[in-house]
Amino acid sequence: GIHMLQYCAGKGRHPIGYKIASEIPEKEAETYMDPKGVCSVITPWNFPFAIPTWLIGPALVSGNTVVFKPSEETPLSGQFLVHLFDEVAKKHKVPPGVLNLVHGSGKVGEDMVRHRGTVGQLFTGSFAVGQKIRQIAMEHGNKFAICEMGGKNSLIMLEDADMNLALNAAILSAYKTTHQRCVSADLIIVEESIEREFTRRFLELTDRIVFGSPFDEKSFAGPLINQKAVEKFNRHANRVLQEYPELLRYSIGDEKTNFVRPNVFRMRYRPDTFALREEAFTPNVVIVPVKDFEEAMQAANDNDGCLSMSLISEDYRMHRAFKIYSRAGLKYVRLPTIGAEIQLPFAGEKSAGT
């Protein structure tokens, strides 16, 4: 979040237009950028400081004003961010109303998007909500929407992969922040010649992972956000089980805490399956054995929207083919599917957003 704000501040010193040569000697041509107006910023709970900065920061430095609604699950982070901004704004005589805070449910967010005074609709969250925001924006000639809506992400391992590197990448992709991030890998797609060894070692590491108190140094990750997420975790696993995968690890979240243990399934690629197409956003992971790179690409691309994808291979020719054929916005080689840098684009394909 701090890096993003530093980056946005620096962008304020960049050129905002160009002198362009004209065909006519007596004519001068130039382009310049104008602010759009009031922007709605609606953000999720899973990165309650960082995500607001990468929507609020660009909007403000471009000369727009912002109405910001943080998630009702994490209101204090949003409140404190605006409190800090307000302190600095008063010190530097920034006019009131540049950054505004609104708390509330999804209905409040919808009212912001529908309001005739808001122009830019900047959103990070679920596909269902993002799609509704885009539809509302399309109904108004002056509105535009920029929505990042998660994805069905895959980590792919070919037979020449460095096994230790692949295991570390898979664990981070599947379990970091308890799988509660839009770039988490739901699918671990492995060439069948190494799949048995990989699965054995992946399960050994899975059994050692500690989901516990964030204040305990032994904890790898914490709980799910709330009981609603626990219910989704159970519901997703049950839907996957209806498609008869091989069950490798299975647990049920209880009603007393928000802590869960991962579910791990093994399943050959089949088109139009819930397991391989529906985003989990909870630690439900499917290992998918495949014959070769071509089948791996088919399995990874067979969904409505992929934000992030990773390839673990030592073959630079496969790196190049992956870059061309994978249908994801973020493409990693020999790295986990998670991670972002503020100076790089962050967007997906198809329903993963704009």
Side-chain angles (χ1 to χ4, degrees), residues 7 33 40 80 92 97 133 138 163 170 189 226 242 253 274 295 312 321-322 330 342:
Y7 179 77
M33 296 187 197
S40 297
F80 194 66
H92 293 281
I133 289 172
M138 287 175 63
M163 183 61 72
I189 301 170
N226 53 26
Q242 290 173 19
F274 176 88
E295 189 182 11
I312 313 296
F322 172 71
L330 310 172
I342 50 92

Side-chain angles (χ1 to χ4, degrees), residues 39-68:
C39 292
S40 297
V41 169
I42 301 171
T43 59
W45 48 263
N46 59 338
F47 288 92
F49 173 69
I51 290 177
T53 65
W54 76 53
L55 299 179
I56 294 170
L60 294 184
V61 80
S62 302
N64 304 287
T65 56
V66 167
V67 181
F68 168 42

Side-chain angles (χ1 to χ4, degrees), residues 42-344:
I42 301 171
T43 59
W45 48 263
N46 59 338
F47 288 92
F49 173 69
I51 290 177
T53 65
W54 76 53
L55 299 179
I56 294 170
L60 294 184
V61 80
S62 302
N64 304 287
T65 56
V66 167
V67 181
F68 168 42
K69 190 193 89 66
S71 167
E72 57 269 40
E73 300 289 350
T74 50
L76 183 58
S77 297
Q79 180 91 17
F80 194 66
L81 175 60
V82 175
H83 167 71
L84 293 174
F85 177 89
D86 194 48
E87 283 193 342
V88 176
K90 288 173 181 174
K91 179 180 176 182
H92 293 281
K93 297 181 174 58
V94 176
V98 171
L99 176 60
N100 309 277
L101 178 72
V102 176
H103 286 303
S105 65
K107 177 63 169 62
V108 173
E110 182 175 343
D111 290 343
M112 289 164 54
V113 173
R114 290 189 183 278
H115 194 283
R116 61 188 178 87
T118 61
V119 179
Q121 315 303 329
L122 314 182
F123 170 77
T124 299
S126 72
F127 172 73
V129 175
Q131 188 73 339
K132 189 170 185 179
I133 289 172
R134 294 200 293 192
Q135 289 169 351
I136 294 169
M138 287 175 63
E139 296 169 3
H140 300 78
N142 69 322
K143 291 183 185 286
F144 69 94
I146 298 174
C147 302
E148 191 268 286
M149 301 178 289
K152 189 70 172 178
N153 309 307
S154 301
L155 186 138
I156 300 164
M157 259 162 275
L158 302 184
E159 61 183 1
D160 68 334
D162 178 323
M163 183 61 72
N164 289 328
L165 185 152
L167 286 162
N168 286 333
I171 291 292
L172 287 169
S173 300
Y175 302 140
K176 189 81 171 179
T177 57
T178 326
H179 203 100
Q180 296 175 112
R181 60 172 75 194
C182 51
V183 290
S184 295
D186 289 357
L187 307 180
I188 302 177
I189 301 170
V190 190
E191 266 197 292
E192 54 193 14
S193 58
I194 61 166
E195 184 268 319
R196 290 290 171 178
E197 180 191 357
F198 167 80
T199 297
R200 177 182 61 79
R201 294 177 63 180
F202 179 77
L203 293 176
E204 289 174 356
L205 289 171
T206 295
D207 292 340
R208 287 166 49 193
I209 291 291
V210 176
F211 295 95
S213 167
F215 301 103
D216 186 342
E217 293 182 358
K218 296 178 182 176
S219 296
F220 181 80
L224 297 181
I225 180 67
N226 53 26
Q227 272 293 306
K228 191 175 177 182
V230 176
E231 292 166 8
K232 181 181 179 181
F233 168 77
N234 293 333
R235 188 167 61 249
H236 190 96
N238 290 333
R239 281 289 305 276
V240 172
L241 286 171
Q242 290 173 19
E243 295 176 334
Y244 304 109
E246 184 180 349
L247 183 58
L248 303 176
R249 291 292 184 276
Y250 183 63
S251 68
I252 300 174
D254 64 41
E255 299 177 355
K256 295 177 181 177
T257 78
N258 298 335
F259 289 98
V260 298
R261 293 292 310 164
N263 293 322
V264 183
F265 311 90
R266 181 196 280 124
M267 183 179 184
R268 298 290 311 201
Y269 167 67
R270 302 200 307 269
D272 300 323
T273 49
F274 176 88
L276 305 188
R277 293 177 64 88
E278 188 74 20
E279 183 183 25
F281 217 74
T282 54
N284 283 293
V285 181
V286 183
I287 296 172
V288 186
V290 292
K291 300 190 301 293
D292 51 25
F293 176 75
E294 184 176 346
E295 189 182 11
M297 282 289 88
Q298 188 177 8
N301 289 332
D302 183 20
N303 61 69
D304 292 329
C306 183
L307 177 59
S308 181
M309 197 180 296
S310 177
L311 175 74
I312 313 296
S313 168
E314 301 298 304
D315 189 337
Y316 74 92
R317 292 164 298 188
M318 291 294 99
H319 300 171
R320 184 175 183 277
F322 172 71
K323 182 172 72 172
I324 294 169
Y325 295 117
S326 60
R327 307 312 305 158
L330 310 172
K331 304 176 187 185
Y332 295 98
V333 170
R334 303 181 75 250
L335 287 167
T337 59
I338 63 173
E341 294 187 48
I342 50 92
Q343 75 278 14
L344 300 175

